[in-house]
Amino acid sequence: MQFQRAHVSTVRSIRHVSLIRDWHRSRSSGELPKFADFIPDERSGDATELLISEVVYRDDKPRYRCRSAGERVEQIYGHSMTSRFLHECLDPAMAKAAQPIWDGCVANGLPVYSILPLADRDGRPVTVEQLFLPYGRGAADVDFVVAALHAWS
């Protein structure tokens, strides 16, 4: 999968733009922002659209264990995700398509933005805008990925 650097103006969601700008301000020192300093904005509804995953390595490959998933995230994926690995929560084809995006965020230590055309349970077209933000515990390694998901039809 190829990644392109893009200006924040390519991001459609105003909330996602705000999250990216907050992430960049937190990274002003050049290190990854600390996950302990991440506080979702409850007033704007961030928490319902956030998926927070801890990066767990097995055989030097990252895996993503869900620490928390907002109500809208669980509606998108159709079930509870907390304490489960993401590849176990998603349809196998979706997990296979998403893996390079998650891995790209972790490998580069940079935000990744994508738009996915999907279908809901009734077959209606739905577009999911995704923003993945890497966070650490204070070292250079990515220990957490905060995913902000926004779906519209």
Side-chain angles (χ1 to χ4, degrees):
M1 178 174 288
Q2 292 183 348
F3 291 89
Q4 293 178 308
R5 289 191 181 261
H7 190 268
V8 72
S9 64
T10 61
V11 177
R12 295 180 184 181
S13 165
I14 293 168
R15 283 304 312 138
H16 288 185
V17 170
S18 178
L19 286 166
I20 290 171
R21 288 190 171 142
D22 288 347
W23 185 90
H24 278 288
R25 273 192 292 278
S26 297
R27 192 173 189 218
S28 61
S29 67
E31 294 181 1
L32 281 175
K34 292 183 177 132
F35 179 72
D37 297 336
F38 176 74
I39 301 170
D41 186 348
E42 297 292 334
R43 290 171 292 148
S44 67
D46 279 354
T48 63
E49 294 186 347
L50 292 180
L51 170 66
I52 299 173
S53 300
E54 185 171 7
V55 181
V56 178
Y57 289 90
R58 178 179 279 173
D59 300 326
D60 294 327
K61 293 182 182 181
R63 297 178 69 203
Y64 307 92
R65 183 177 24 235
C66 177
R67 291 189 79 191
S68 68
E71 181 181 330
R72 289 188 186 160
V73 173
E74 290 188 343
Q75 284 175 346
I76 290 170
Y77 294 112
H79 49 78
S80 176
M81 300 172 76
T82 303
S83 299
R84 297 173 63 195
F85 284 100
L86 294 183
H87 70 275
E88 298 169 348
C89 299
L90 304 178
D91 171 88
M94 185 182 293
K96 184 177 179 181
Q99 188 78 40
I101 297 170
W102 303 332
D103 292 347
C105 179
V106 170
N108 295 304
L110 293 170
V112 174
Y113 170 75
S114 68
I115 298 174
L116 296 175
L118 301 172
D120 67 11
R121 291 182 193 141
D122 299 323
R124 292 181 297 239
V126 175
T127 301
V128 178
E129 181 179 5
Q130 304 177 111
L131 173 64
F132 299 90
L133 300 166
Y135 284 86
R137 286 191 173 99
D141 295 333
V142 177
D143 298 303
F144 299 92
V145 174
V146 174
L149 308 175
H150 182 73
W152 69 90
S153 59

